[in-house]
């Protein structure tokens, strides 16, 4: 398989996996991305979330509504300013949706030496940076 084909296949497989996770949880891929941001931050305001995932505040309201209906996130008073609401993830929000993947990826990783894992880790980190930059460029064109 050529590198270009492998990249496309990897991308397609990742999207398909996230669609399956979304169907399992009852949310969209965008909702999952928002939930990951919320989990990483601990809590965020709707405005912060909108900025982080590149959506309008109105669109984020829909995302948070879906996450709340699915029991994955909730709106809570900001501990620093009780007049403001923040969005927090429900503990264990993703449940077992990623447990099979985590186990399979650990088994895959174990097949490589520490030196090979370092190279793979570097490639993944650089790929993430490229994807984020290309996403930013495409979003600026809109």
């Amino acid at each position: 398989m050529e590198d270009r084909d492998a990249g496309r296949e990897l991308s397609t497989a990742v999207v398909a996996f996230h669609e399956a996770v979304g169907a399992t949880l009852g949310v969209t891929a965008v909702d999952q991305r928002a939930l990951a941001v919320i989990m990483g931050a601990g809590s965020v305001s709707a405005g912060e979330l909108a900025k982080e995932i590149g959506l309008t505040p109105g669109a984020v309201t829909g995302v948070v509504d879906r996450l709340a209906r699915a029991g994955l996130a909730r709106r809570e008073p900001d501990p620093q300013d009780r007049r403001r609401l923040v969005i927090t993830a429900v503990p264990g929000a993703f449940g077992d949706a990623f447990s099979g993947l985590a186990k399979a990826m650990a088994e895959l990783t174990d097949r490589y030496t520490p030196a090979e894992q370092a190279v793979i880790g570097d490639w993944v980190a650089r790929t993430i940076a490229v994807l984020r930059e290309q996403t930013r460029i495409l979003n600026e064109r809109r």
Side-chain angles (χ1 to χ4, degrees):
M1 184 181 308
E2 289 186 33
D3 288 346
R4 286 178 291 176
D5 293 337
R8 185 175 53 249
E9 288 294 321
L10 174 61
S11 176
T12 300
V14 169
V15 169
F17 175 78
H18 280 282
E19 288 173 346
V21 168
T24 299
L25 298 175
V27 297
T28 68
V30 170
D31 300 341
Q32 290 176 65
R33 192 173 67 175
L35 183 58
V37 168
I38 296 164
M39 291 173 82
S43 67
V44 294
S45 70
E48 292 165 339
L49 183 58
K51 183 178 178 184
E52 183 66 30
I53 64 175
L55 295 177
T56 65
V60 163
T61 298
V63 167
V64 175
D65 287 347
R66 286 189 300 276
L67 291 173
R69 271 195 309 275
L72 303 172
R74 59 182 167 248
R75 293 174 176 91
E76 299 179 330
D78 184 338
Q80 308 303 321
D81 181 352
R82 306 285 290 169
R83 298 168 296 174
R84 184 177 109 130
L85 291 177
V86 293
I87 304 144
T88 60
V90 170
F94 280 118
D96 292 334
F98 288 92
S99 61
L101 177 64
K103 182 177 184 280
M105 292 305 295
E107 290 170 2
L108 175 63
T109 300
D110 288 346
R111 294 179 58 187
Y112 297 94
T113 67
E116 290 169 329
Q117 289 177 25
V119 171
I120 294 166
D122 178 67
W123 183 88
V124 169
R126 290 172 187 259
T127 298
I128 291 167
V130 167
L131 287 168
R132 286 183 174 152
E133 177 63 11
Q134 292 302 307
T135 300
R136 184 191 63 73
I137 290 167
L138 288 171
N139 285 336
E140 286 179 354
R141 292 181 184 166
R142 291 190 281 159

